Amino acid sequence: MESKGGSSSGSTSKCGRWNPTAEQVSVLSELFRSGLRTPTTDQIQRISNHLSFYGKIESKNVFYWFQNHKARDRHNKRRKLSSSFPHHSKHLNLLHCQSLAEMYQVSEPENNNRVIETLQLFPLNSYVESESEKLRVHANDDENGDHQHHHHHQCMDHDDDTMFSYTLMGEQMEYPPLDLRLSFL
Amino acid sequence: MESKGGSSSGSTSKCGRWNPTAEQVSVLSELFRSGLRTPTTDQIQRISNHLSFYGKIESKNVFYWFQNHKARDRHNKRRKLSSSFPHHSKHLNLLHCQSLAEMYQVSEPENNNRVIETLQLFPLNSYVESESEKLRVHANDDENGDHQHHHHHQCMDHDDDTMFSYTLMGEQMEYPPLDLRLSFL
DNA sequence: GCAAATTAATGATTTATTCAAG
DNA sequence: CTTGAATAAATCATTAATTTGC
């Protein structure tokens, strides 16, 4: 609420640290997106000048913003790459590949094999994957039987890859309660 | 009505497309609410396995469900956010894709001169994706403005790089539009 | 009550962007 | 500079809800 309270000279926050307004962040993000990564001193000065219209800002804030943003962006990208492997890329992987396991057989994670501990039982305490770190596991996937080749017409071939139900377990069971049903993760 | 007619192997519908049962949707929603957004192949497999108890399902259905749900959730949140911005007046409520103007980098006397050749306007509400989602900012290393792929899209197809004006968005605005605000560089 | 017609949801495809290996 | 990998956005398409006339 305070981030845009003062239109120009941000009086809201105690001047502990720069608190960018939404507009400032937008402009900075756009500059970043446009390819600007390490602005020159001159550019920093200009950016700061113009952003001062939206709130209190100093040149060093701009400098730090770009530095932090560059680093975090790189970090995020790296994490994203390492943690998510191809499930599906268009219909190449998921739909056309006979065995995804061949492609996705990643090595066994050392000790982090199981997934999302928080979810394992009751997920009532909502685990949120935050921007700082979404816990993600490169679990070795066992076979994924996604082999479909569907063309533009329906009549889809249902290779029911995972066709076993709880009836295997013997008795006729009711639907398990919702919260228990999540335990498979 | 018939959506759960077949308890397990959905024989009800003609296999046009997956028709999730209420239980399946419940579980998926619960997982989503718990923070799961892009399940790994392994997770998809498990989810599909366990949801098959409630009806016919395939892995790709799980995958698509999460994709769609994530996208639509994000979309809804974005719209909600943008509509709940009574703060700054007029020009702030640009919703989706609109590329209003392009701007050029003025020639910097220095050699370090980033380009910013064609900027599409970015959504102003993009600074908050959702409460459980990371702020996504992207770098772009498009240095020399050679876009070899421009498409015919309906929403944004502005190639006239010299056409822009403030008046597009209204008459008197407090803040210049974002893409123009970059012209100070 | 019931279906044809219409609308709203949502499953499934296609397209556009992105970073980063090569 | 090119291309691979992986989305996320946008779009297409089909199913369910619902409206409507009988």
Side-chain angles (χ1 to χ4, degrees):
Chain A
M1 289 312 175
E2 81 296 3
S3 61
K4 47 180 61 174
S7 66
S8 64
S9 60
S11 58
T12 58
S13 298
K14 6 191 120 40
C15 37
R17 69 179 198 184
W18 177 52
N19 202 11
T21 67
E23 292 80 14
Q24 286 171 339
V25 172
S26 294
V27 175
L28 291 170
S29 298
E30 186 60 16
L31 288 170
F32 190 86
R33 195 177 77 87
S34 303
L36 187 60
R37 295 166 66 92
T38 57
T40 63
T41 309
D42 199 45
Q43 288 175 312
I44 287 174
Q45 185 60 51
R46 273 181 229 170
I47 295 168
S48 178
N49 277 343
H50 284 259
L51 288 187
S52 67
F53 176 66
Y54 304 106
K56 180 182 173 185
I57 194 172
E58 297 177 52
S59 293
K60 66 176 183 179
N61 303 134
V62 175
F63 172 73
Y64 288 143
W65 190 93
F66 274 97
Q67 195 153 324
N68 286 322
H69 210 70
K70 181 168 55 178
R72 283 169 190 149
D73 180 69
R74 185 171 296 166
H75 187 259
N76 283 340
K77 295 302 177 186
R78 188 148 303 161
R79 180 177 55 76
K80 178 183 173 185
L81 275 182
S82 66
S83 63
S84 77
F85 44 86
H87 322 119
H88 54 282
S89 173
K90 299 177 183 291
H91 42 279
L92 252 68
N93 290 333
L94 184 76
L95 303 174
H96 279 169
C97 286
Q98 288 295 324
S99 68
L100 291 168
E102 300 168 353
M103 318 177 61
Y104 306 151
Q105 280 299 350
V106 295
S107 61
E108 171 102 18
E110 37 278 17
N111 40 357
N112 208 4
N113 191 6
R114 271 318 164 212
V115 196
I116 306 182
E117 310 77 297
T118 321
L119 276 183
Q120 213 136 7
L121 300 175
F122 288 61
L124 298 179
N125 45 0
S126 64
Y127 134 83
V128 290
E129 60 183 59
S130 65
E131 74 281 4
S132 58
E133 188 158 41
K134 62 173 94 167
L135 66 115
R136 182 64 62 82
V137 175
H138 4 315
N140 59 353
D141 62 65
D142 35 45
E143 227 246 352
N144 188 343
D146 259 333
H147 38 294
Q148 285 96 18
H149 29 284
H150 49 47
H151 247 315
H152 201 248
H153 299 290
Q154 78 270 19
C155 176
M156 52 155 245
D157 45 356
H158 49 286
D159 288 356
D160 213 44
D161 45 353
T162 65
M163 200 47 192
F164 69 90
S165 59
Y166 281 159
T167 57
L168 294 173
M169 303 173 65
E171 57 190 341
Q172 197 78 8
M173 51 195 306
E174 299 273 344
Y175 293 152
L178 234 187
D179 29 30
L180 280 184
R181 285 183 295 182
L182 300 176
S183 62
F184 57 79
L185 255 186
Chain B
M1 300 166 182
E2 78 301 1
S3 65
K4 47 174 55 180
S7 65
S8 64
S9 298
S11 58
T12 61
S13 298
K14 28 203 97 45
C15 39
R17 71 179 197 188
W18 175 54
N19 201 13
T21 67
E23 293 81 15
Q24 286 171 336
V25 172
S26 293
V27 174
L28 290 169
S29 298
E30 192 64 24
L31 288 170
F32 188 87
R33 274 185 169 73
S34 302
L36 186 60
R37 292 165 43 98
T38 56
T40 64
T41 309
D42 189 45
Q43 290 173 311
I44 287 174
Q45 180 65 48
R46 275 182 223 163
I47 295 168
S48 177
N49 277 344
H50 286 260
L51 287 186
S52 66
F53 174 67
Y54 303 105
K56 179 182 170 189
I57 194 173
E58 298 175 53
S59 293
K60 67 174 184 179
N61 303 132
V62 175
F63 168 72
Y64 289 143
W65 191 93
F66 274 97
Q67 286 284 24
N68 283 319
H69 208 71
K70 177 168 57 178
R72 281 161 183 154
D73 178 70
R74 184 179 301 162
H75 192 258
N76 287 337
K77 285 210 159 71
R78 212 172 279 181
R79 282 193 66 89
K80 205 159 292 183
L81 261 179
S82 64
S83 64
S84 72
F85 256 107
H87 311 262
H88 291 39
S89 50
K90 320 150 188 179
H91 64 287
L92 271 180
N93 49 2
L94 290 171
L95 290 185
H96 314 128
C97 43
Q98 310 183 26
S99 72
L100 288 185
E102 293 79 15
M103 47 88 46
Y104 313 118
Q105 162 73 30
V106 299
S107 321
E108 190 77 30
E110 276 77 352
N111 46 7
N112 191 358
N113 181 0
R114 271 295 69 88
V115 189
I116 312 176
E117 71 287 13
T118 39
L119 298 182
Q120 356 178 3
L121 183 137
F122 55 94
L124 277 173
N125 44 9
S126 65
Y127 44 82
V128 177
E129 291 252 335
S130 73
E131 70 277 12
S132 65
E133 185 167 6
K134 60 173 183 173
L135 168 69
R136 183 172 175 219
V137 284
H138 5 316
N140 188 355
D141 279 341
D142 211 350
E143 313 241 324
N144 45 4
D146 181 22
H147 280 172
Q148 53 190 2
H149 51 331
H150 49 68
H151 308 79
H152 45 285
H153 217 83
Q154 62 176 23
C155 58
M156 54 174 82
D157 203 2
H158 291 178
D159 284 336
D160 47 346
D161 37 351
T162 58
M163 202 277 278
F164 66 88
S165 71
Y166 281 173
T167 60
L168 281 177
M169 315 180 64
E171 70 293 8
Q172 201 69 10
M173 45 182 65
E174 315 178 87
Y175 302 149
L178 278 177
D179 33 21
L180 286 180
R181 285 186 292 181
L182 301 176
S183 61
F184 57 78
L185 253 187

